[in-house]
Amino acid sequence: SQKIEQNSEALNIQEGKTATLTCNYTNYSPAYLQWYRQDPGRGPVFLLLIRENEKEKRKERLKVTFDTTLKQSLFHITASQPADSATYLCALEVGNTGFQKLVFGTGTRLLVSP
Amino acid sequence: KAGVTQTPRYLIKTRGQQVTLSCSPISGHRSVSWYQQTPGQGLQFLFEYFSETQRNKGNFPGRFSGRQFSNSRSEMNVSTLELGDSALYLCASSNGQGRAYEQYFGPGTRLTVT
């Protein structure tokens, strides 16, 4: 069956450290993978998108890797801050062009303590 | 640009009733997608509308339906409500063209069915 797995347990790290979140998937062949941030009571906010032929993408303190052989994406936040505390969702873009949709993982909650 | 707006923000309904939720996308966006988010199932795709046509559909029963108007505003309807329909309903808009487009989410409508 098709699955997208993210760590269900919260990730607790100290301010200034690098947070690494994992997204593993099975029985999907996504052309694109996206990461979103969601704060309690709010809708998800788009962070980064990476294509299947890209190994790595960066944006400020964020870095995403995409390994289609391992079927895994890693999401890194360097120099983490308490304001980075939120739930982070990975989403696979699947389907044919014009009919694609996003399939989301269940998310990992990140807690950054001062 | 104004963001995605959803109305109402909160709703309480009784089993068996029906409900209509509304979404106004970002100006210029022609695609509107709807998602259901629950603690147990996470964020699940309901359907997408593009230029007034349903372009994609998730695995939800026929009680869930939607439509899009010529100004891209969209409505979602759930008939014969069940307790399990209690969830946060999110709408997201995008330009909908080609591939790899990020979704802009609204704040959601929190539906409680009693």
Side-chain angles (χ1 to χ4, degrees), chain B residues 13-20 36 60-65 76-86 89 111-114:
Chain B
K13 290 286 189 179
T14 305
R15 263 183 309 175
Q17 288 185 315
Q18 74 162 15
V19 67
T20 299
Q36 181 195 67
F60 279 81
R63 300 185 297 107
F64 292 82
S65 62
M76 188 194 107
N77 185 76
V78 188
S79 62
T80 319
L81 283 166
E82 300 177 1
L83 294 178
D85 296 333
S86 294
Y89 289 89
L111 172 64
T112 302
V113 182
T114 62

Side-chain angles (χ1 to χ4, degrees), chain B residues 71-108:
Chain B
N71 61 359
S72 293
R73 191 176 68 85
S74 178
E75 286 182 348
M76 188 194 107
N77 185 76
V78 188
S79 62
T80 319
L81 283 166
E82 300 177 1
L83 294 178
D85 296 333
S86 294
L88 181 65
Y89 289 89
L90 292 157
C91 126
S93 77
S94 65
N95 65 31
Q97 308 273 26
R99 300 299 300 256
Y101 47 83
E102 61 262 32
Q103 305 250 309
Y104 294 84
F105 283 84

Side-chain angles (χ1 to χ4, degrees), chain A residues 74-105:
Chain A
L74 298 178
F75 178 79
H76 307 272
I77 306 175
T78 57
S80 58
Q81 305 164 1
D84 295 326
S85 298
T87 296
Y88 292 85
L89 302 157
C90 72
L92 310 184
E93 189 175 316
V94 298
N96 297 323
T97 299
F99 300 94
Q100 66 269 27
K101 63 180 181 182
L102 285 181
V103 182
F104 282 83

Side-chain angles (χ1 to χ4, degrees), chain A residues 35-47:
Chain A
W35 283 88
Y36 287 78
R37 167 186 172 140
Q38 186 173 24
D39 292 286
R42 309 188 78 162
V45 174
F46 172 80
L47 295 173

Side-chain angles (χ1 to χ4, degrees), chain B residues 20-33:
Chain B
T20 299
L21 312 181
S22 182
C23 172
S24 291
I26 289 172
S27 176
H29 283 184
R30 293 164 63 189
S31 167
V32 173
S33 297

Side-chain angles (χ1 to χ4, degrees), chain B residues 30-44:
Chain B
R30 293 164 63 189
S31 167
V32 173
S33 297
W34 288 89
Y35 296 84
Q36 181 195 67
Q37 188 172 35
T38 60
Q41 298 297 318
L43 198 58
Q44 292 187 288

